[in-house]
Amino acid sequence: MSRRPAPAEHPDMTVAGDRVLTLPNLISLVRLLGVPVFLYLFLVARADVAAVAVLAVGGTSDWVDGWIARRLGQVSRLGELLDPLADRLYILATLLAFTARDVVPWQFTVALLARELLLLVSLGVLRRYGYGPPPVHYMGKTATFLLLAAFPCLLLADAAPGIGTAAAAIGWGLAWWGLVLYWVAGAMYLVQAYRLVRAMRAEATA
């Protein structure tokens, strides 16, 4: 029986180091810890200004850790897993919290959650064939950046009525563009997963 190729052995997958203790990984870990902090500030303490600050820092650090990883040559497989995990947790936690307090309509939340569910199914199929998550695509990173930039604006619009109109316009502009690109990126991931599975089947029958 032939050995299933590891993700890094396939031409569609990227090769990353095995380092764990790196600055980008530390930043991603801090971002993960920021998720429960945001939920507490927003849902329990109702400290919206502080919650905006946590969201802003989380969105900014999403770009910073990737830049540092490339700049210092500290790209790692752990980092490739932590970074999208932190992104998804921030997005999901923010959406659910915003929906609970009527900052965003439930239809917007459902649209994003449906995309996540679709990708979760595709990841299950990839795992069945011996593959891990595919590398994060630039389209997905762009969509995530737009959404993480939109959320503080939407929260600011809700918390500060004096600048609510401008903040809401900017926030919803970013949010809708982010939603569209999020689905575009999801379609690209599905195509990538299909190609990997098709290649695996071709190797099995060769």
Side-chain angles (χ1 to χ4, degrees), residues 90-157:
Y90 255 104
I91 289 173
L92 293 178
T94 304
L95 275 175
L96 294 176
F98 277 16
T99 305
R101 284 188 51 183
D102 296 323
V103 177
V104 300
W106 64 266
Q107 294 91 337
F108 187 86
T109 301
V110 169
L112 275 177
L113 292 180
R115 187 267 197 186
E116 290 299 314
L117 180 60
L118 186 63
L119 283 193
L120 185 62
V121 172
S122 70
L123 289 177
V125 173
L126 284 176
R127 187 169 296 277
R128 181 181 176 186
Y129 283 88
Y131 290 105
V136 177
H137 196 274
Y138 76 92
M139 187 68 72
K141 293 297 292 182
T142 302
T144 299
F145 174 80
L146 290 175
L147 289 172
L148 291 178
F151 292 151
C153 294
L154 295 176
L155 180 53
L156 189 62

Side-chain angles (χ1 to χ4, degrees), residues 10 12-13 121-132 189-205:
H10 196 279
D12 285 345
M13 309 296 282
V121 172
S122 70
L123 289 177
V125 173
L126 284 176
R127 187 169 296 277
R128 181 181 176 186
Y129 283 88
Y131 290 105
Y189 289 136
L190 289 178
V191 171
Q192 187 177 15
Y194 169 75
R195 289 175 177 172
L196 289 173
V197 172
R198 185 178 63 177
M200 185 65 190
R201 290 178 175 175
E203 291 175 5
T205 57

Side-chain angles (χ1 to χ4, degrees), residues 14-193:
T14 59
V15 178
D18 295 326
R19 299 179 62 186
V20 175
L21 299 177
T22 66
L23 181 57
N25 289 350
L26 178 61
I27 294 175
S28 294
L29 180 60
V30 171
R31 290 176 62 219
L32 284 172
L33 296 176
V35 173
V37 172
F38 161 75
L39 290 176
Y40 171 78
L41 291 173
F42 188 65
L43 295 177
V44 180
R46 296 297 180 105
D48 290 354
V49 175
V52 168
V54 172
L55 282 181
V57 171
T60 303
S61 60
D62 174 51
W63 176 84
V64 171
D65 61 358
W67 182 84
I68 291 177
R70 293 186 297 270
R71 185 77 172 181
L72 300 182
Q74 294 184 348
V75 176
S76 66
R77 185 57 183 164
L78 177 61
E80 290 183 346
L81 295 175
L82 280 179
D83 186 48
L85 175 62
D87 290 343
R88 281 181 168 80
L89 284 179
Y90 255 104
I91 289 173
L92 293 178
T94 304
L95 275 175
L96 294 176
F98 277 16
T99 305
R101 284 188 51 183
D102 296 323
V103 177
V104 300
W106 64 266
Q107 294 91 337
F108 187 86
T109 301
V110 169
L112 275 177
L113 292 180
R115 187 267 197 186
E116 290 299 314
L117 180 60
L118 186 63
L119 283 193
L120 185 62
V121 172
S122 70
L123 289 177
V125 173
L126 284 176
R127 187 169 296 277
R128 181 181 176 186
Y129 283 88
Y131 290 105
V136 177
H137 196 274
Y138 76 92
M139 187 68 72
K141 293 297 292 182
T142 302
T144 299
F145 174 80
L146 290 175
L147 289 172
L148 291 178
F151 292 151
C153 294
L154 295 176
L155 180 53
L156 189 62
D158 185 70
I163 58 173
T165 302
I170 295 173
W172 280 114
L174 293 171
W176 284 113
W177 269 110
L179 176 62
V180 171
L181 293 184
Y182 212 52
W183 271 97
V184 171
M188 296 174 71
Y189 289 136
L190 289 178
V191 171
Q192 187 177 15

